Amino acid sequence: KINPLENILNKSIKNNVIFVSGAAGSIGQEICSQLLNLNPIEIILFDISEASLYKSLENLNSLNKKNILLTPLLGCATNYKLLTNIFINRRVNIVFHAAAYKHVPLVEINPIEGIRNNIFSTQAICRASKETSSVKKVILISSDKAVRPANIMGASKRVSELIIQGYAEEFNFENPPKVFSMVRFGNVIDSSGSVIPLFKKQIQKGGPITITHRDIYRFFMTIDEAAQLVIQAAGIAKGNEVFLLDM
């Protein structure tokens, strides 16, 4: 396990209003639970799934020892007007964009919806952040599948990265700059997009394990390491970086 640098963890979170898209997902929820220890003013939990958001809020309330204000908001991350309204009215400072479709086979079968959800949501988040003076940093949760993408999911994430980079370059010369950066994940154990549960089932049945190629290397991180990587990235981001966990 790779331990975080505590001083960096706290750097961008304390006394700020934090917005997390996809807050009901496994990564988004873990980010929120880690944020509870870092003294933000408010955490806005944004998700399209009512049932999942309810469960996420219930779980986070049980962990909320410091009585941080938790605001659950339903909506689609492609809705620019809704996002702008939230960012301005709640005076959002830091945006973590975790909402996305991540399952490669499902996105292959539903490419248009995968592109709409992954790419257009990033564009809407960036545009709303651009229009909101209080927003200081936007961190995109990307994927190692964006490197030389071989599938629609990876390609959609690569386009999302290019959108972030475009906004980063636009705001790089402002003083202080509005920061747009991204974090690439490998395989996150116990996340909703992880291949580990499939491998476990295949092993229990006596195999075979359906790996992509016999010579492939797979790198794994725990879900808390993944969330800590995102929060540390917010602490040290200056704009236009791609952050990776050394696995």
Side-chain angles (χ1 to χ4, degrees), residues 192-206:
S192 60
S194 175
V195 73
I196 295 259
L198 173 63
F199 285 172
K200 281 182 177 177
K201 285 178 186 174
Q202 291 172 338
I203 290 166
Q204 284 165 0
K205 288 179 180 177

Side-chain angles (χ1 to χ4, degrees), residues 152-169:
I152 294 290
M153 197 285 283
S156 70
K157 281 296 192 181
R158 181 61 191 136
V159 174
S160 297
E161 290 184 351
L162 293 171
I163 290 168
I164 288 283
Q165 288 174 322
Y167 276 87
E169 287 172 11

Side-chain angles (χ1 to χ4, degrees), residues 51-187:
S52 299
L53 187 58
Y54 177 80
K55 285 181 184 176
S56 179
L57 180 63
E58 204 172 28
N59 180 52
L60 290 167
N61 276 331
S62 69
L63 302 171
N64 192 6
K65 308 303 181 192
K66 297 183 178 181
N67 293 317
I68 305 297
L69 177 59
L70 297 173
T71 305
L73 296 178
L74 284 166
C76 179
T78 62
N79 190 335
Y80 156 71
K81 288 186 178 179
L82 174 61
L83 291 168
T84 305
N85 192 19
I86 293 167
F87 289 5
I88 291 171
N89 290 336
R90 309 300 299 191
R91 296 193 176 105
V92 170
N93 305 123
I94 310 294
V95 176
F96 294 109
H97 181 32
Y101 288 143
K102 302 180 179 75
H103 286 279
V104 170
L106 281 180
V107 177
E108 287 291 300
I109 295 166
N110 302 278
I112 300 300
E113 194 59 22
I115 289 166
R116 187 194 70 82
N117 194 51
N118 292 1
I119 295 174
F120 291 172
S121 67
T122 305
Q123 171 64 16
I125 288 272
C126 289
R127 191 177 162 204
S129 299
K130 175 182 177 177
E131 301 297 326
T132 309
S133 59
S134 63
V135 173
K136 296 184 283 189
K137 292 189 177 184
V138 179
I139 306 295
L140 168 72
I141 315 305
S142 188
S143 163
D144 58 1
K145 294 175 181 66
V147 184
R148 295 188 296 278
N151 53 63
I152 294 290
M153 197 285 283
S156 70
K157 281 296 192 181
R158 181 61 191 136
V159 174
S160 297
E161 290 184 351
L162 293 171
I163 290 168
I164 288 283
Q165 288 174 322
Y167 276 87
E169 287 172 11
E170 181 179 346
F171 284 93
N172 197 31
F173 301 105
E174 288 201 356
N175 191 22
K178 198 183 285 273
V179 171
F180 294 83
S181 293
M182 65 211 88
V183 177
R184 280 183 187 156
F185 284 177
N187 294 285

Side-chain angles (χ1 to χ4, degrees), residues 41-59:
I41 294 170
E42 178 184 11
I43 305 172
I44 299 164
L45 318 171
F46 186 81
D47 206 279
I48 199 168
S49 170
E50 181 193 29
S52 299
L53 187 58
Y54 177 80
K55 285 181 184 176
S56 179
L57 180 63
E58 204 172 28
N59 180 52

